[in-house]
Amino acid sequence: MTIQWFPGHMAKAKREVQEKLKLVDIVFELVDARLPLSSRNPMIDEVIQQKPRLILLNKADMADESETKKWIEYFSNKGFKAVAVNSFQGKGLQQVTKAAQEILADKWARMRAKGMKNRAIRAMIVGIPNVGKSTLINRLAKRNVAKTGNTPGVTKAQQWVKVGKELELLDTPGILWPKFEDPEVGLKLALTGAIKDAIINMEDLAVYALNFLSTHYPEQMRERYGIDSVDEEIVKTFDHIGRLRNVLGAGGEIDYDRVSELIVRDIRNLELGKLTFDFVEEELEKETVEN
Ligand code: G4P
């Protein structure tokens, strides 16, 4: 489901998250490991403020592992602990409680020094739609508890779910909006399936995908399509793939709509392997220019 975000919705979503923040010790900021920056809410620092935070790079099973490592280091250099997880299969989840304990170790030590008893860490999950918030809550809880209904602004009664003895999680995640101002972010979100197809021009998306592959993953492109770069006239690349995969219309001409869909589907279905769409090097370059 694609949410239409309007200013009123965004303000309400922010307010809802901030209300819940009062209940928790730590926020689990869930992002997609394939696009750790593009899948972040642009105002996340302002929304969460000083609340301790653990960044979870979800869907790590679909991301380029070497890039995921670089992203963990990137976040660490910014002062944030980050952990790669696969909520779908429940991988990496033992690390979540451990990482939360490490982040809160000082606070817990201060509580103990004041004579307070140890209690479970209280956490909430926050992220943009489709990053896997409900899947993660259900996996951590080991049963279906997440109140999905991806609709920000619809307040539901929330409950704590126990994750072992050490962690308690709100069963309702905080849903925040993605970045809108950068069209490339929209294309990356669409390529990973986070934005639904009805609002996307498939041909534009396929053109972006082919250029992206030739820049970042030429080997994977060669293996799948027998070419490792796009032709100066991009239509020739479409023709090549169309003929290769026999995507022809009734009169034998290339069916460009179906070729576009095929390219996008190939990427989403990992037919070109595990790919990452945001790169640490590119981000660091941007940050250097901005400073
Ligand atoms: P949300 O609450 O943040 O909106 O996300 P949700 O849990 O609904 O997950 C969105 C989709 O992502 C689901 O696919 C879910 O199975 C998948 N997903 C979540 N975590 C992981 C992960 O770690 N690895 C992989 N490979 N997939 C994950 P879906 O039900 O097929 O949704 P859709 O494709 O119909 O949108």
Side-chain angles (χ1 to χ4, degrees), residues 91-108:
K91 286 195 183 150
L93 299 189
Q94 313 87 315
Q95 279 192 66
V96 173
T97 306
K98 207 172 137 252
Q101 284 170 325
E102 280 168 23
I103 291 169
L104 294 171
D106 287 351
K107 186 178 171 189
W108 255 234

Side-chain angles (χ1 to χ4, degrees), residues 8-286:
H9 294 147
M10 297 198 273
K12 199 163 180 191
K14 180 179 171 194
R15 217 165 39 237
E16 278 179 13
V17 169
Q18 289 184 325
E19 273 303 306
K20 288 183 210 158
L21 279 180
K22 294 177 192 155
L23 307 172
V24 301
D25 304 299
I26 188 167
V27 170
F28 295 161
E29 184 195 353
L30 199 59
V31 298
D32 188 318
R34 296 169 294 176
L35 21 93
L37 292 188
S38 300
S39 62
R40 280 186 117 180
N41 170 264
M43 281 170 62
I44 192 73
D45 292 344
E46 194 187 315
V47 177
I48 297 183
Q49 298 192 359
Q50 297 310 312
K51 188 64 77 173
R53 186 187 332 178
L54 169 64
I55 297 176
L56 299 178
L57 300 163
N58 192 37
K59 308 196 188 186
D61 53 308
M62 301 175 94
D64 182 338
E65 228 169 282
S66 57
E67 297 302 326
T68 302
K69 283 197 188 117
K70 289 186 208 166
W71 279 113
I72 290 175
E73 198 185 325
Y74 168 89
F75 286 121
S76 164
N77 290 337
K78 301 260 172 207
F80 295 112
K81 201 175 215 358
V83 170
V85 295
N86 166 358
S87 303
F88 196 60
Q89 290 169 333
K91 286 195 183 150
L93 299 189
Q94 313 87 315
Q95 279 192 66
V96 173
T97 306
K98 207 172 137 252
Q101 284 170 325
E102 280 168 23
I103 291 169
L104 294 171
D106 287 351
K107 186 178 171 189
W108 255 234
R110 282 197 301 276
M111 274 169 46
R112 274 196 305 275
K114 285 186 199 155
M116 287 153 100
K117 268 204 341 205
N118 259 357
R119 61 164 173 80
I121 290 172
R122 292 188 191 125
M124 72 178 287
I125 290 172
V126 164
I128 67 167
N130 264 312
V131 280
K133 297 179 295 299
S134 315
T135 309
L136 177 62
I137 294 172
N138 290 336
R139 277 286 173 272
L140 284 172
K142 296 201 170 80
R143 61 198 161 95
N144 280 352
V145 290
K147 304 237 171 18
T148 8
N150 248 337
T151 323
V154 179
T155 314
K156 302 179 189 86
Q158 58 210 9
Q159 289 179 350
W160 294 103
V161 288
K162 286 199 186 314
V163 184
K165 284 201 185 91
E166 286 108 359
L167 185 68
E168 281 175 7
L169 193 62
L170 275 185
D171 66 352
T172 325
I175 305 167
L176 293 170
W177 61 96
K179 283 189 191 133
F180 300 116
E181 67 280 13
D182 180 351
E184 193 171 5
V185 167
L187 290 164
K188 289 179 179 183
L189 287 169
L191 262 190
T192 58
I195 293 179
K196 293 299 175 214
D197 299 346
I199 56 165
I200 299 158
N201 179 326
M202 269 292 163
E203 220 165 85
D204 290 348
L205 189 56
V207 168
Y208 176 77
L210 290 174
N211 282 308
F212 171 83
L213 290 172
S214 71
T215 308
H216 293 286
Y217 292 104
E219 274 173 44
Q220 287 83 340
M221 190 177 184
R222 173 170 289 285
E223 212 157 285
R224 186 74 181 162
Y225 303 126
I227 44 169
D228 56 16
S229 61
V230 288
D231 198 283
E232 258 176 55
E233 277 182 69
I234 192 98
V235 67
K236 289 192 178 156
T237 307
F238 275 78
D239 288 342
H240 168 82
I241 296 174
R243 273 193 302 273
L244 182 79
R245 303 285 293 277
N246 209 22
V247 186
L248 307 174
E253 76 287 2
I254 306 287
D255 183 337
Y256 293 109
D257 287 341
R258 276 172 53 218
V259 176
S260 301
E261 274 167 29
L262 178 144
I263 294 164
V264 171
R265 207 172 48 233
D266 274 359
I267 290 179
R268 288 185 185 162
N269 293 345
L270 305 191
E271 298 293 353
L272 288 107
K274 301 177 178 193
L275 308 179
T276 290
F277 299 92
D278 284 342
F279 292 89
V280 169
E281 292 86 352
E282 287 179 2
E283 177 57 20
L284 291 178
E285 248 170 60
K286 253 192 243 167

